[in-house]
Amino acid sequence: MKWLLLLLSVIANSAANLLIKLSVMPPRQFPNLTDPKTALTNWPFWLGLALYGGALLLYTAALTRLPLMVAYSLITAGAAATISIGSILLFDEPYSWNTMAGLLLIIAGAMLVNIRPA
């Protein structure tokens, strides 16, 4: 159950980030008080905001079952990887060998933090 909570938190957090990016791309605008109708109809922003809340609740539930060091390193590595892949696939953002190397190092770091000595 603890791993499922962590996985769902990563998915919710990553989806929230991608939706927030979508919410500020044309033809949408960043929600502001001068144009409330635009703010209210920007569904990616509101869905992203709700998913951030859901991710926080799932992460908090996972923290009741896992050490902070384990949960945070896995959430960070998982979110970094999924958001990077999503931004490349959905928004055609550029990437290079050093982007991929950085992601691999983040994932390797999370794995090293979570290895239990024999």
Side-chain angles (χ1 to χ4, degrees):
M1 182 64 153
K2 59 188 172 187
W3 302 113
L4 179 61
L5 289 169
L6 213 56
L7 176 65
L8 291 174
S9 180
V10 167
I11 292 168
N13 180 293
S14 300
N17 276 282
L18 295 169
L19 283 163
I20 295 297
K21 172 69 175 181
L22 181 64
S23 77
V24 297
M25 294 178 67
R28 295 176 183 87
Q29 299 175 23
F30 182 75
N32 61 59
L33 297 176
T34 60
D35 188 6
K37 183 180 178 203
T38 303
L40 292 174
T41 59
N42 193 340
W43 67 266
F45 175 78
W46 297 107
L47 182 55
L49 190 61
L51 283 171
Y52 272 128
L56 179 61
L57 291 174
L58 290 162
Y59 177 63
T60 304
L63 284 177
T64 65
R65 296 163 174 85
L66 290 165
L68 177 61
M69 172 175 40
V70 171
Y72 186 74
S73 63
L74 293 175
I75 288 270
T76 304
T82 54
I83 291 167
S84 296
I85 292 167
S87 66
I88 291 165
L89 296 175
L90 298 174
F91 304 120
D92 201 29
E93 291 186 1
Y95 65 96
S96 62
W97 69 268
N98 56 331
T99 302
M100 294 303 144
L103 286 172
L104 290 174
L105 287 171
I106 290 169
I107 292 167
M111 290 171 63
L112 286 172
V113 166
N114 290 296
I115 290 175
R116 301 283 181 239

